[in-house]
Amino acid sequence: YEIDTSSYIEGTKIQWRVRTMGVTKEYGEWSTQRTIDVYAPPTLELRVTNQNGDVIETLNSFPFYVYALAGPKTQMPTGYYLEVISNDIYEAVDNIGNTKTVKAGDAVYSKYFDTSDALLVEMSAGNIDLENGINYTVRVTVSMNSGLRTGASVDFDVSWVDEQYAPN
């Protein structure tokens, strides 16, 4: 049996029980009472900013910050999952000098944050390796104490000058 909960306000409790009738054509005892809580859909505000707090569409320098605020206030976040995903294919060199291929859709950074506060993560060369001229997506998924979850994503381009050093 489906119930359209769109007409109910958040915090409404729908309680129900069932009785069954067997071959004897007499109803049995009522079942245990069950409760359904009606929650508002969760929301997630996501911003990617530079060190001055300005929203960025093109990353020119490190650090940058990922800020996520979950709502509504009647629900609490139980954790955030942050991913930075490449939207292009490219080759990169890892920390020990090996060449690796990063395909479109590969996560170049992913981490779970177990917090009920707003998410604020500083991203720098120490925790993420981004390639010049590549487009990336920051995707955050939040799970709420109501059992619901939602997500948001923001795209940005990387455009900085790669310094090439040669020993003298």
Side-chain angles (χ1 to χ4, degrees):
Y1 184 78
E2 286 189 27
I3 296 175
D4 179 13
T5 60
S6 62
S7 63
Y8 296 104
I9 61 170
E10 182 173 15
T12 301
K13 293 186 182 298
I14 301 172
Q15 298 178 328
W16 56 278
R17 298 175 184 226
V18 295
R19 284 175 74 175
T20 58
M21 179 190 307
V23 293
T24 62
K25 304 291 185 202
E26 292 184 23
Y27 284 104
E29 295 296 317
W30 284 102
S31 69
T32 303
Q33 182 171 304
R34 307 285 183 192
T35 302
I36 299 171
D37 294 316
V38 177
Y39 294 103
T43 60
L44 185 63
E45 175 190 344
L46 177 62
R47 289 194 316 253
V48 177
T49 63
N50 62 16
Q51 60 265 18
N52 299 328
D54 301 325
V55 174
I56 60 170
E57 293 180 5
T58 302
L59 179 65
N60 297 315
S61 65
F62 281 128
F64 69 97
Y65 299 88
V66 177
Y67 172 78
L69 178 63
K73 299 245 185 243
T74 55
Q75 300 174 48
M76 293 292 295
T78 58
Y80 297 86
Y81 184 65
L82 168 62
E83 292 179 292
V84 179
I85 300 164
S86 170
N87 294 322
D88 301 311
I89 187 170
Y90 62 94
E91 285 192 353
V93 178
D94 65 12
N95 294 341
I96 57 174
N98 296 325
T99 302
K100 64 179 181 175
T101 301
V102 177
K103 297 182 294 261
D106 284 354
V108 295
Y109 177 89
S110 63
K111 187 171 183 181
Y112 178 76
F113 296 89
D114 185 10
T115 181
S116 60
D117 297 327
L119 180 70
L120 180 61
V121 179
E122 180 181 76
M123 305 298 285
S124 67
N127 60 0
I128 191 168
D129 184 20
L130 301 176
E131 189 71 23
N132 190 31
I134 302 297
N135 181 269
Y136 294 92
T137 298
V138 174
R139 184 177 1 188
V140 176
T141 303
V142 62
S143 56
M144 307 298 277
N145 66 346
S146 61
L148 301 174
R149 70 175 180 206
T150 191
S153 61
V154 173
D155 288 358
F156 69 91
D157 294 308
V158 175
S159 178
W160 52 47
V161 177
D162 280 333
E163 296 291 335
Q164 299 293 330
Y165 295 103
N168 189 347

